[in-house]
Amino acid sequence: MASLYKHLLLILFISVVPISQSVILNPDYYKTSCPDFDRIVLEQVHEKQSKFVTTAAATLRLFFHDCMTGGCDASILIGSTSDNKAEKDHEDNLSLPGDAFDVVSRIKTALELVCPGVVSCADILTATTRNLIVMVGGPHYPVHLGRKDGLISHASRVEGSLPNTEMNADRMIQYFGDRGFSVQEMVALLGAHTIGFANCGKFTKRLFNYSAETPTDPALKPAYAEALKNLCSNPETNVTMAAFNDVKTPGKFDNQYYKNLPKGLGLLTTDNILVQDPRTRPIVELYAANETAFFKDFGDAMVKMSYFQVKGDGEPGGEVRRRCDASNSVD
Ligand code: HEM
């Protein structure tokens, strides 16, 4: 009887402690070691985003790509060297805008002046992302701190670690499921596409080469499809041309993304899938009708993501980098 009781307790414990959150992080991690952490991050974020309004979306995507490749360890910030092609130089990361790297680097420089060697680049990226989301209207979810910077950054590790627009619903659900996210969390996270851009190359197939029967994806609202065709009509310039992910309120973090989807205003095939698949459609409808529910679920999912394969205090494979673009062993 006692062993059954112990067994039940164990099951209960396992089911309430998400596996990805086994590393102990906490919001007050720098309270005594770097009391100015919050202020410095906030000031720098405000300065950067006010001048370069695309920084918020750029940084949110940078954070996602970092976490999905070997965990949230700022490995994406490391630069390539003569004998190592780093993550950031993998094809899938080449379109990550420089402003996202720049804001983290500015904050690191400012922090090193007041508390040298204390704050990890991975924590800076996590806190910067949250603050930028808030600045463009999104939810203020908690930032848990204490992660270490990774020692490894190889382009080869990006292979297969990021989602792509060719995925169907099953593959999307599998991709996020493999990383511990439920279908609801996946739909909430995709709400990140309420801000930012996508280059023509990421959706021209929907416009010009959809299928043998029809060149244009019938799920796209016709007027929207025409506007996108005009934008992306020249293959020569398509590399630089980009459309807003959320055509209605592109710079505002809100639930407009979900309202767009049933109207044929989802930009990427993978966005549109969310409203077509019966497993995800009810969640799209929920978030379209209830921004509070979206903000709550998005915030919770971001906190969960921020724990993904994190290296905590005393664990091997982590350090506090002196500069974010190189491991300490390099300089
Ligand atoms: C099935 C999953 C996903 C796919 C296929 C996908 C794909 C894409 C693509 C193709 C772009 C445009 C990139 C370019 O043109 O260079 C993009 C942009 C973006 N993605 Fe995703 N994404 C996914 C999930 C996510 C998630 C989970 C987040 C964050 C939580 C996110 C955040 C962003 C942001 C903020 C942008 C705009 C970046 C900017 O304007 O600089 N994406 N995504």
Side-chain angles (χ1 to χ4, degrees):
M1 187 65 194
S3 107
L4 178 71
Y5 182 67
K6 241 165 75 186
H7 198 64
L8 280 174
L9 260 184
L10 189 69
I11 291 172
L12 188 72
F13 179 73
I14 289 171
S15 60
V16 293
V17 180
I19 297 159
S20 57
Q21 299 198 5
S22 56
V23 169
I24 312 286
L25 304 177
N26 84 75
D28 295 327
Y29 189 82
Y30 296 114
K31 202 171 180 169
T32 48
S33 57
C34 194
D36 289 333
F37 172 76
D38 288 332
R39 180 184 58 78
I40 289 176
V41 174
L42 203 60
E43 276 174 13
Q44 295 287 333
V45 158
H46 271 257
E47 198 180 320
K48 180 76 188 178
Q49 175 69 17
S50 329
K51 286 192 196 131
F52 303 95
V53 293
T54 55
T55 309
T59 309
L60 175 51
R61 185 163 175 247
L62 179 71
F63 175 71
F64 173 54
H65 284 208
D66 180 47
C67 291
M68 293 300 104
T69 308
C72 308
D73 64 353
S75 50
I76 201 160
L77 304 179
I78 288 186
S80 293
T81 56
S82 53
D83 54 2
N84 180 46
K85 185 175 170 185
E87 270 173 43
K88 70 181 286 198
D89 288 322
H90 184 276
E91 200 192 337
D92 293 353
N93 286 329
L94 289 179
S95 65
L96 289 169
D99 282 327
F101 294 88
D102 180 62
V103 69
V104 176
S105 151
R106 280 163 188 257
I107 294 170
K108 178 67 171 170
T109 306
L111 285 169
E112 285 300 296
L113 290 174
V114 291
C115 22
V118 171
V119 183
S120 70
C121 301
D123 280 344
I124 296 173
L125 179 55
T126 311
T128 300
T129 302
R130 195 282 311 275
N131 286 357
L132 282 164
I133 289 171
V134 172
M135 217 181 143
V136 293
H140 187 284
Y141 56 87
V143 172
H144 297 185
L145 302 163
R147 44 185 82 59
K148 293 285 175 272
D149 297 326
L151 304 174
I152 300 167
S153 178
H154 296 312
S156 59
R157 297 222 302 178
V158 182
E159 220 52 63
S161 73
L162 297 171
N164 65 67
T165 55
E166 304 291 310
M167 288 175 158
N168 61 18
D170 285 346
R171 282 184 60 207
M172 287 167 72
I173 291 171
Q174 171 96 49
Y175 171 88
F176 282 94
D178 285 349
R179 288 153 182 83
F181 296 100
S182 67
V183 174
Q184 179 128 356
E185 287 167 336
M186 174 186 87
V187 177
L189 286 173
L190 259 291
H193 289 175
T194 177
I195 52 173
F197 302 89
N199 284 95
C200 285
K202 305 292 183 198
F203 55 86
T204 41
K205 192 164 181 276
R206 295 187 80 192
L207 307 174
F208 303 112
N209 304 304
Y210 181 65
S211 71
E213 290 77 43
T214 167
T216 308
D217 185 346
L220 281 167
K221 182 178 171 159
Y224 183 47
E226 281 317 304
L228 292 175
K229 281 183 190 174
N230 282 337
L231 180 78
C232 304
S233 57
N234 183 347
E236 306 263 291
T237 56
N238 275 358
V239 197
T240 49
M241 299 302 274
F244 291 128
N245 283 325
D246 168 1
V247 66
K248 295 278 186 189
T249 56
K252 190 164 186 297
F253 198 104
D254 56 14
N255 66 338
Q256 185 64 43
Y257 169 78
Y258 302 101
K259 295 182 188 169
N260 291 342
L261 297 180
K263 296 181 185 143
L265 297 175
L267 184 62
L268 306 174
T269 313
T270 36
D271 296 325
N272 183 54
I273 281 174
L274 297 186
V275 73
Q276 287 189 328
D277 192 273
R279 290 165 290 184
T280 49
R281 189 184 174 101
I283 311 166
V284 169
E285 286 165 354
L286 166 70
Y287 294 154
N290 185 344
E291 188 173 75
T292 311
F294 164 49
F295 277 14
K296 167 84 176 71
D297 289 356
F298 179 81
D300 288 350
M302 286 295 284
V303 173
K304 186 169 181 176
M305 193 197 292
S306 80
Y307 274 83
F308 190 69
Q309 296 177 353
V310 154
K311 297 144 194 69
D313 264 341
E315 284 185 80
E319 64 181 1
V320 172
R321 266 179 234 149
R322 281 190 284 278
R323 43 184 293 175
C324 291
D325 61 356
S327 297
N328 293 343
S329 59
V330 171
D331 53 24

